[in-house]
Amino acid sequence: MTSETTETLQLHDTRPSAIDPRRWLALPVLLTGAFLPILDFNVVNLALPVIRDNLGASSSEVQFVISAYAATYAVFLITGGRLGDLLGRRRMFLAGVAGFTIASVLCGIAWSPAMLVAGRILQGLTATVMAPQVLASIRVLFPAAEQGRALGFYGATFGLANICGQLLGGVLVSAHPFGLAWQAIFLINVPIGLAAFVGGLLFLTDSRAAHAQRLDVGGVILLSLTLGLLVYPLIEGRESGWPIWIVAMLLASPLMLAAFVWFEARLEARGGDPLVALHLLRNSDFVIGLVMALAFYMLSSFYLTFAVYLQSGLHQSPLEAGLATLPFAAGFFVSSLVSSLVMQWLGARTLTLGFALQVTGFGVLTLSVGGALPQSLEFGLICGGLGFGTVMPSVIKAVIGSIDPRHAGLASGMMISTFQIGAALGVAIIGGVFYSLLGPHPRADDYAHAFTIALGCNVALLALGGWLSLWLPREPAAG
């Protein structure tokens, strides 16, 4: 999962009259705001089996712990960026950090699955207030000559957060600090959040867009209902036996989507600022990119299914499971550092290479767990991580290249929100396949079978993404 920002590439930002001498002190504070949402997405996966046992959660409630966070993030991300443009990015960053810290406390003291899911929704909401201000503030604080270096640290933050998520999650759940189990993965955010809040007060300079876009409250409500009517039945329907009201919710989702599109079109026709710029969908390359991003980020279900397979199927401890996942995170970290160089060489075909690496890596992993290949887990994970880290930074650059530069911020926001929708749907749909195959009383072999089928679904989606990448222009258009 990424916390890259949305509509923050504004062309007319208000900048300080002189270069801020505290900008390099402000950078680690800002990067903390990019680090926390990704850390929290990754760290929670390793704790899910323990959370399920400790809180007596059902498999659907476990899925909601991830998908509720991702869906909330998807809906409110663009709005969070606009709030920073309107009200000031320093103010919104501090509000987001404070809110995320409070939400983490609520998750850490949750006494029921419903309470934990509510805390996760609040985490997702406050993350959308915090994260979009990071890149926007970097572009305002740093002169052009220093932006490349600052953005390099920004990009490396995502790989570092993935690695820390795997290691820290395993360590905290296994070590039981202060007698805590899974609660520690949320409460660790408190000292980090406090440090970021104090650092923001001391070192951040405020900025806002000179011509900020207005909020689209109606669009947010309709998109929230659309996703809710889709994700909730997909997760809850299996365990509740698909009652008529669940089916009705699912059928209402496309109707709500139609209402959302109608509302956005009317708002755009009146000269407003819609949440989704529908005119961008007339660009076939951009539409291909959105479908590709959706298929790519449904891989988020892998984190859930692999953690359950390792801990419940192979009876590994959370620490062992975290270490087992480390090759993937390491591959992601390394390839994310060099992907920009590969992009300069291969253009949009960098995406094809990245998808091919993922199909190969996760295909090997699937066959290895299924017993069709000798144990090659590490190779499969490294190869999959290299592919993930190649696609992640490149997909936006490749697709946005076909968009008029004036709309780059809008297109980026739609692309990143699509990532999070993909994450929510991946956990809902592929996670549902996984738990359906497990059944109510799974045996050890059932976990391997369910995991291979679920991962096979992801491999098929990644192959689709690779095929779609071939339809993009080899070189991004000049705009």
Side-chain angles (χ1 to χ4, degrees):
M1 176 176 149
T2 180
S3 292
E4 291 183 31
T5 138
T6 66
E7 289 175 85
T8 51
L9 304 176
Q10 300 294 335
L11 299 178
H12 304 288
D13 285 305
T14 56
R15 290 178 177 268
S17 57
I19 296 176
D20 191 338
R22 300 174 300 174
R23 62 193 181 280
W24 289 106
L25 294 173
L27 183 61
V29 176
L30 290 169
L31 294 183
T32 303
F35 179 85
L36 278 173
I38 303 172
L39 174 74
D40 228 56
F41 184 86
N42 285 280
V43 77
V44 75
N45 288 285
L46 290 168
L48 289 176
V50 179
I51 290 173
R52 181 174 184 176
D53 293 340
N54 187 265
L55 292 181
S58 65
S59 58
S60 63
E61 289 168 331
V62 167
Q63 289 174 266
F64 278 125
V65 171
I66 304 175
S67 61
Y69 179 92
T72 304
Y73 202 98
V75 171
F76 290 95
L77 190 60
I78 294 175
T79 300
R82 290 184 183 179
L83 284 171
D85 295 341
L86 283 166
L87 303 177
R89 294 169 185 135
R90 177 179 182 268
R91 179 185 300 176
M92 288 298 99
F93 179 84
L94 292 173
V97 169
F100 193 85
T101 304
I102 294 170
S104 298
V105 172
L106 295 177
C107 290
I109 63 173
W111 56 84
S112 69
M115 177 69 179
L116 180 56
V117 171
R120 289 288 284 170
I121 291 173
L122 184 59
Q123 273 192 321
L125 182 62
T126 53
T128 64
V129 176
M130 169 178 63
Q133 320 313 328
V134 178
L135 184 55
S137 296
I138 288 175
R139 292 188 177 278
V140 170
L141 285 174
F142 289 88
E146 296 179 349
Q147 280 192 15
R149 185 181 174 196
L151 292 173
F153 286 118
Y154 174 76
T157 299
F158 299 109
L160 182 63
N162 273 277
I163 292 177
C164 290
Q166 307 305 326
L167 289 178
L168 194 60
V171 168
L172 290 176
V173 177
S174 297
H176 297 281
F178 306 105
L180 302 171
W182 59 268
Q183 294 89 343
I185 67 170
F186 296 110
L187 297 179
I188 191 65
N189 294 336
V190 175
I192 300 174
L194 289 175
F197 187 84
V198 172
L201 289 174
L202 294 175
F203 303 124
L204 286 187
T205 301
D206 206 4
S207 66
R208 65 187 69 194
H211 305 288
Q213 293 180 307
R214 289 164 291 181
L215 301 181
D216 177 11
V217 178
V220 168
I221 293 172
L222 289 171
L223 184 57
S224 301
L225 291 172
T226 300
L227 279 182
L229 289 170
L230 177 62
V231 172
Y232 184 84
L234 288 174
I235 293 178
E236 188 65 30
R238 174 180 47 82
E239 288 200 349
S240 61
W242 295 101
I244 188 64
W245 62 273
I246 284 281
V247 176
M249 287 181 67
L250 198 57
L251 294 175
S253 179
L255 299 178
M256 192 60 65
L257 176 62
F260 170 72
V261 172
W262 174 82
F263 181 87
E264 296 294 275
R266 283 198 61 190
L267 182 61
E268 190 172 46
R270 296 198 307 266
D273 298 316
L275 190 68
V276 172
L278 297 179
H279 68 273
L280 296 180
L281 300 181
R282 302 188 191 105
N283 184 313
S284 60
D285 290 341
F286 184 64
V287 174
I288 288 172
L290 290 180
V291 178
M292 186 171 57
L294 189 74
F296 166 62
Y297 230 73
M298 287 180 75
L299 185 66
S300 294
S301 61
F302 162 73
Y303 299 102
L304 165 66
T305 57
F306 194 46
V308 175
Y309 163 67
L310 291 175
Q311 294 182 57
S312 300
L314 299 185
H315 305 291
Q316 292 187 3
S317 68
L319 178 57
E320 290 172 327
L323 292 174
T325 316
L326 196 56
F328 175 81
F332 169 51
F333 180 68
V334 171
S335 59
S336 65
L337 296 178
V338 300
S339 64
S340 60
L341 299 176
V342 180
M343 188 75 180
Q344 293 175 11
W345 178 41
L346 294 178
R349 295 299 172 263
T350 304
L351 296 173
T352 310
L353 172 63
F355 279 113
L357 285 169
Q358 290 182 94
V359 169
T360 301
F362 290 118
V364 167
L365 182 61
T366 301
L367 295 173
S368 179
V369 172
L373 279 179
Q375 287 295 310
S376 307
L377 297 181
E378 291 80 9
F379 170 79
L381 288 168
I382 291 174
C383 191
L386 288 171
F388 191 90
T390 301
V391 172
M392 187 69 254
S394 306
V395 63
I396 297 177
K397 293 179 184 177
V399 176
I400 301 307
S402 65
I403 297 295
D404 189 309
R406 292 175 301 170
H407 305 307
L410 283 169
S412 297
M414 290 172 65
M415 180 68 68
I416 297 166
S417 292
T418 300
F419 284 151
Q420 306 311 320
I421 293 172
L425 292 180
V427 171
I429 298 172
I430 300 178
V433 170
F434 175 77
Y435 280 113
S436 294
L437 291 170
L438 280 183
H441 305 292
R443 299 169 299 176
D445 291 345
D446 293 333
Y447 286 97
H449 174 66
F451 174 67
T452 56
I453 297 299
L455 190 55
C457 295
N458 283 126
V459 171
L461 288 167
L462 292 170
L464 171 64
W467 177 73
L468 289 172
S469 71
L470 295 172
W471 291 83
L472 295 174
R474 181 177 175 84
E475 296 296 335

